[in-house]
Amino acid sequence: MALFVTAPASAGTTLGASAAEKGRYFGTAVAAYKLSENAYTTILNREFNMVTPENEMKIDATEPQQGRFSYASSEQIVNHARSRGMQVRGHTLAWHGQQPGWMQSMEGTALRTAMLNHITQVATHFKGQIYSWDVVNEAFADGNSGGRRDSNLQRTGNDWIEAAFRAARAADPGAKLCYNDYNTDNWTWAKTQGVYNMVRDFKARGVPIDCVGFQSHFNNDSPYASNYRTTLSSFAALGVDVQITELDIQGASADTYRRVVEDCLAVARCNGITVWGIRDSDSWRASQTPLLFNSNGSKKPAYDAVLAALNNGTTPPTTAPPTSVPPTTAPPTTAPPTTPPPGQGGCTATVTVNQWTGGFVANVRVTAGSSALNGWTVTITLPSGATVTNSWSANSSGTTGTTNWTNVSYNGRVGAGQSTEFGFQGTGTVGSPSPTCAAS
Ligand code: G3I
């Protein structure tokens, strides 16, 4: 995505920079209380361009007493991330877990009202600062039923999930809205199929869902399966983005990490990958040593495998540049090889629209043709009555009628065949625009 700024180090040598070159992000879960630890923030700031608060945006943290909202630790993470060009995944607005005591003892209409108020308040508080929200977390049952998990939220009525999504959309129309769950990675599992059927139904009925989060906590009981890519692509084919939201792998097999990255890169709508912690010692399952960094902060073989996979199998050079004086022979006078100039291969643009009564969010994907782009302009004609009110990752010539969208400083360069994204939101009805793309 164009939104994913490259980390300060040069492209191809950090997880975030390499993912950004592929139009994706690489994120981690972050605990606010660790932000004062130098060893922790050094890795965080160097490697990642997406951050998920590990516990600080959960219901018990943000509304510890009913109607009294508390944002100190979540804001600490959001500010740390955004001030360094990282983006934020919000986790989570509605969940049976980590409910504050007052909510745990609630049922029925009172709980439904409290849940919707919580979503409205928290999503409004962080409006414009969240890349995607895990609106609802872990609502499906494990095992073979393929149905919903019993919980006080589920007992308020089966429509609680769609009610949650509608409230979140109304509060922050610019955030992608995700359903997030675990044990939904294996395509053959009943739970995966249960979630798939819900998302298909939501898309058919216009419930505002934009993405599905696959937690991907892989371990001996729930191992990585070779049909993972089928799972990601099957959900994407429903018209939603997919995101790997809490990745960790028991034992941190480098080969399994590589396969997960390759699976995401193979699915155009896989936006990015978040690992659930930085060092093994930061993991909720520390004894399984499932992460990319050792407890002392050194890179594990799994790190190298992930970076190489993000760079399409190319390991960036780790040797220092030569320090000897270069030879002083005259430069060759022959003409340089004739690689095609950037932009000659053209570009294409596609737009994905989420429309609701009175408003819309449009995400536009710009894809380079057979040669790299140095810059691009996408032209989109808006129907009368549609007005752009906000946009990201592109400059616009106007807000109505025929609009020209040009790259910003960090997303003009797009490798041959690679993509970047920008987006805008507005009022009115946008229909199904047919964008055109010009390379520069
Ligand atoms: O902060 C208190 C501390 O004051 C207290 O002394 C200590 C005693 O137990 O508990 C501390 O809180 C713990 C908290 O993590 C912060 O470390 C909680 O007990 C503990 O339950 C909580 O665990 C979190 C878990 O969610 C709870 O559901 C993990 O950190 C967090 O990584 C984990 O994340 C979940 C995702 O949200 C959803 N998917 C699964 C994933 C892994 O379980």
Side-chain angles (χ1 to χ4, degrees):
M1 325 279 92
L3 297 162
F4 310 126
V5 294
T6 50
S10 63
T13 61
T14 67
L15 302 172
S18 295
E21 288 205 326
K22 294 289 189 293
R24 289 170 172 79
Y25 62 79
F26 207 95
T28 183
V30 163
Y33 72 91
K34 293 177 185 161
L35 290 174
S36 54
E37 195 191 322
N38 230 336
Y40 183 80
T41 52
T42 298
I43 305 174
L44 169 63
N45 299 348
R46 185 186 70 217
E47 296 287 344
F48 298 96
N49 56 4
M50 182 68 74
V51 154
T52 306
E54 187 174 359
N55 289 297
E56 293 78 353
M57 281 187 180
K58 293 173 180 174
I59 314 171
D60 59 353
T62 50
E63 196 177 356
Q65 291 155 323
Q66 188 171 15
R68 299 186 63 161
F69 291 85
S70 163
Y71 296 114
S73 59
S74 49
E75 283 179 346
Q76 198 188 340
I77 296 176
V78 170
N79 294 339
H80 181 100
R82 287 172 53 81
S83 67
R84 290 166 176 79
M86 308 172 192
Q87 296 198 89
V88 179
R89 296 194 77 262
H91 173 79
T92 175
L93 293 170
W95 186 25
H96 67 276
Q98 283 174 276
Q99 291 184 356
W102 63 265
M103 187 180 268
Q104 287 177 31
S105 55
M106 254 185 189
E107 298 278 345
T109 309
L111 175 60
R112 175 68 68 94
T113 305
M115 176 194 82
L116 295 175
N117 181 56
H118 179 84
I119 293 169
T120 302
Q121 297 290 332
V122 177
T124 300
H125 181 83
F126 288 108
K127 181 178 178 176
Q129 302 185 71
I130 303 295
Y131 169 72
S132 58
W133 265 115
D134 290 335
V135 177
V136 171
N137 194 41
E138 301 175 358
F140 276 70
D142 291 309
N144 294 324
S145 77
R148 299 282 182 85
R149 168 197 298 278
D150 178 49
S151 72
N152 59 349
L153 291 168
Q154 180 62 31
R155 290 191 295 272
T156 69
N158 206 49
D159 64 342
W160 73 276
I161 299 181
E162 57 194 271
F165 275 85
R166 292 199 172 94
R169 174 72 90 223
D172 186 356
K176 298 191 195 209
L177 304 183
C178 299
Y179 175 79
N180 190 53
D181 215 329
Y182 66 91
N183 283 352
T184 49
D185 314 295
N186 188 320
W187 181 239
T188 66
W189 286 20
K191 189 172 176 182
T192 310
Q193 294 300 312
V195 175
Y196 177 83
N197 288 332
M198 179 189 74
V199 175
R200 185 171 56 184
D201 170 57
F202 279 10
K203 293 299 289 183
R205 291 191 295 110
V207 176
I209 184 169
D210 306 310
C211 40
V212 175
F214 297 86
Q215 294 186 8
S216 306
H217 292 293
F218 292 122
N219 55 63
N220 296 343
D221 297 324
S222 181
Y224 170 86
S226 57
N227 62 32
Y228 186 53
R229 190 179 298 191
T230 302
T231 303
L232 298 178
S233 60
S234 300
F235 275 83
L238 292 175
V240 287
D241 289 344
V242 293
Q243 301 175 1
I244 298 170
T245 52
E246 303 182 16
L247 179 64
D248 48 24
I249 302 174
Q250 180 171 14
S253 154
D255 192 54
T256 309
Y257 264 108
R258 172 184 61 77
R259 294 175 70 171
V260 170
V261 173
E262 288 175 354
D263 290 341
C264 180
L265 292 180
V267 176
R269 294 197 73 155
C270 182
N271 302 148
I273 299 172
T274 295
V275 286
W276 204 241
I278 298 178
R279 305 157 302 189
D280 284 334
S281 51
D282 298 316
S283 171
W284 69 300
R285 285 176 166 167
S287 65
Q288 294 185 1
T289 60
L291 295 175
L292 300 178
F293 292 87
N294 284 312
S295 299
N296 67 8
S298 60
K299 297 169 181 172
K300 295 166 63 175
Y303 172 95
D304 297 330
V306 166
L307 188 63
L310 289 170
N311 289 329
N312 270 52
T314 312
T315 312
T318 51
T319 50
T323 52
S324 57
V325 180
T328 55
T329 50
T333 53
T334 50
T338 53
T339 46
Q344 208 176 57
C347 58
T348 54
T350 54
V351 60
T352 310
V353 171
N354 282 298
Q355 178 76 56
W356 61 94
T357 308
F360 62 86
V361 171
N363 280 293
V364 184
R365 176 174 281 260
V366 179
T367 304
S370 55
S371 63
L373 304 175
N374 269 341
W376 44 262
T377 301
V378 172
T379 302
I380 298 174
T381 301
L382 302 168
S384 90
T387 304
V388 174
T389 55
N390 184 29
S391 66
W392 51 94
S393 305
N395 294 314
S396 166
S397 63
T399 57
T400 56
T402 299
T403 54
N404 290 318
W405 300 84
T406 50
N407 60 277
V408 288
S409 60
Y410 56 83
N411 65 5
R413 174 112 193 129
V414 183
Q418 300 297 318
S419 299
T420 189
E421 279 191 0
F422 70 93
F424 55 91
Q425 66 187 84
T427 54
T429 302
V430 76
S432 306
S434 304
T436 57
C437 187
S440 54

